[in-house]
Amino acid sequence: MKILGLTLVAIVAIEHFIIMYIEMYLWKRPVGLRVFRNTFEKAQDTAVLAANQGLYNGFLGAGLLWGLFHQDEAFAYQIKMFFLICVIIAGFYGAYSVNRRIFFVQALPAILAVIAML
């Protein structure tokens, strides 16, 4: 179960780096428009906000990586749980305020990681 938990934490971290990259660098390109179901006009108007949001997603990914590689196992566990809970809260808020799909893309994988970590 420990390996499953660590694997899920790594997946959530990688997912957040991918989201960061799309939000910061591909927001107005075909991939970003398709992933976030935006029009080019809407993407133009929201590009700065998306880049800022992408930066925060990068912080979440970095925190999870920190937890994965920290040498003190007890502290690493706390780091991972803290950042997973942050991801879950962000996922619930995104699902509530933007699109329900965010729950399945962001919150659910983090919830599964928390369950596996417990």
Side-chain angles (χ1 to χ4, degrees):
M1 198 64 146
K2 182 178 180 180
I3 292 173
L4 176 62
L6 295 175
T7 301
L8 289 172
V9 171
I11 289 169
V12 173
I14 291 166
E15 175 186 33
H16 279 78
F17 286 122
I18 291 169
I19 293 169
M20 176 199 74
Y21 185 76
I22 294 170
E23 288 175 339
M24 293 185 80
Y25 303 107
L26 302 177
W27 186 252
K28 296 183 283 184
R29 300 206 174 169
V31 171
L33 296 174
R34 188 172 53 253
V35 167
F36 290 100
R37 299 178 182 168
N38 267 338
T39 64
F40 181 76
E41 294 75 25
K42 185 177 176 185
Q44 276 290 97
D45 292 341
T46 59
V48 174
L49 296 172
N52 188 51
Q53 186 171 290
L55 185 63
Y56 287 102
N57 277 303
F59 291 150
L60 292 171
L64 290 169
L65 282 184
W66 178 33
L68 284 171
F69 291 103
H70 197 284
Q71 302 216 351
D72 181 334
E73 196 170 324
F75 187 52
Y77 178 81
Q78 293 173 352
I79 294 167
K80 289 182 289 233
M81 292 302 277
F82 172 79
F83 281 97
L84 287 170
I85 291 167
C86 288
V87 169
I88 292 167
I89 292 168
F92 271 105
Y93 185 74
Y96 164 76
S97 63
V98 179
N99 187 317
R100 287 184 198 170
R101 188 173 65 134
I102 294 172
F103 172 81
F104 298 101
V105 172
Q106 189 173 9
L108 186 58
I111 291 168
L112 295 174
V114 166
I115 292 168
M117 296 280 298
L118 294 173

